Amino acid sequence: MITSKLQKVINDQITAELWSSNLYLQMAYFLKHQGWDGFGHWMKLHSEEEREHAMRMADFLTERGGQVKLQMINLVPEGWGSVLEVFEHSLSQEKMVSKMIDKIVLHAIEEQDYATENFFRVFVDEQVEEETLFGGIVDKLKATGEAGLLYLDKELGKRK
Ligand code: OFO
């Protein structure tokens, strides 16, 4: 049986993943509204990915005898000043999520819950990938400026 302390941080994590999912969905429709269909498509798929993370964590918590307790999800912003601002915001969201995941792994080690440690170590790796992914887009947006937006919109629109 998973401890109540770990249940609490995992439930907080599920909420954070769902919050990310809502944030990215709002970003997706904001971008589409601005005419950036490719960026919007990319962000919508990422929103789905975050929801899937939440489900995986909820399934794990349940399998370990814990109780999923969905919490209130804060409102997300409705608009951003530019495409770059959208991606910078998403990168900072990913960095925050990485810190939360690290905290879960630390608690799991402290409580000698190696199943939880193993499960969340996958997400430690996942966060390295995500920060690289979002960071790479931010770098490209900065490097190419306004002139590169059309090209990048087309490229990101190919995401499957
Ligand atoms: Fe759930 O991976 Fe991004 O945050």
Side-chain angles (χ1 to χ4, degrees):
M1 175 77 171
I2 196 159
T3 64
S4 55
K5 184 177 172 184
L6 276 173
Q7 288 193 48
K8 165 84 176 70
V9 286
I10 294 172
N11 273 311
D12 288 349
Q13 191 62 43
I14 292 167
T15 303
E17 300 291 334
L18 292 173
W19 197 83
S20 295
S21 178
N22 275 9
L23 176 65
Y24 297 158
L25 192 60
Q26 179 67 67
M27 287 172 169
Y29 282 104
F30 170 77
L31 289 163
K32 281 174 185 253
H33 181 70
Q34 304 284 313
W36 300 114
D37 288 346
F39 290 124
H41 165 78
W42 191 96
M43 205 53 101
K44 194 173 176 193
L45 289 189
H46 212 83
S47 164
E48 286 167 17
E49 209 173 277
E50 298 302 348
R51 193 169 170 79
E52 191 216 302
H53 294 166
M55 299 304 147
R56 274 163 61 192
M57 291 172 191
D59 285 345
F60 173 78
L61 184 55
T62 305
E63 281 160 18
R64 299 276 293 143
Q67 192 185 352
V68 172
K69 292 182 184 171
L70 296 179
Q71 304 161 11
M72 193 175 77
I73 298 179
N74 286 337
L75 283 176
V76 295
E78 292 171 1
W80 293 264
S82 63
V83 175
L84 175 61
E85 233 178 70
V86 171
F87 279 89
E88 282 178 330
H89 186 172
S90 54
L91 176 59
S92 70
Q93 174 75 6
E94 290 304 322
K95 288 182 177 171
M96 184 204 73
V97 166
S98 298
K99 284 197 184 119
M100 291 179 74
I101 300 272
D102 289 348
K103 202 168 95 182
I104 296 176
V105 172
L106 181 66
H107 287 323
I109 292 168
E110 282 167 359
E111 303 200 16
Q112 300 187 345
D113 183 335
Y114 302 118
T116 299
E117 182 198 343
N118 273 350
F119 179 82
F120 277 94
R121 276 194 187 278
V122 173
F123 285 97
V124 172
D125 294 341
E126 171 88 29
Q127 284 309 119
V128 172
E129 276 176 32
E130 301 232 321
E131 284 188 35
T132 305
L133 185 65
F134 280 94
I137 296 170
V138 167
D139 287 346
K140 284 191 186 80
L141 285 167
K142 281 182 177 165
T144 57
E146 290 282 314
L149 279 174
L150 274 175
Y151 170 76
L152 286 174
D153 185 57
K154 203 169 165 203
E155 282 304 297
L156 267 65
K158 292 177 185 164
R159 182 174 180 178
K160 298 212 188 309

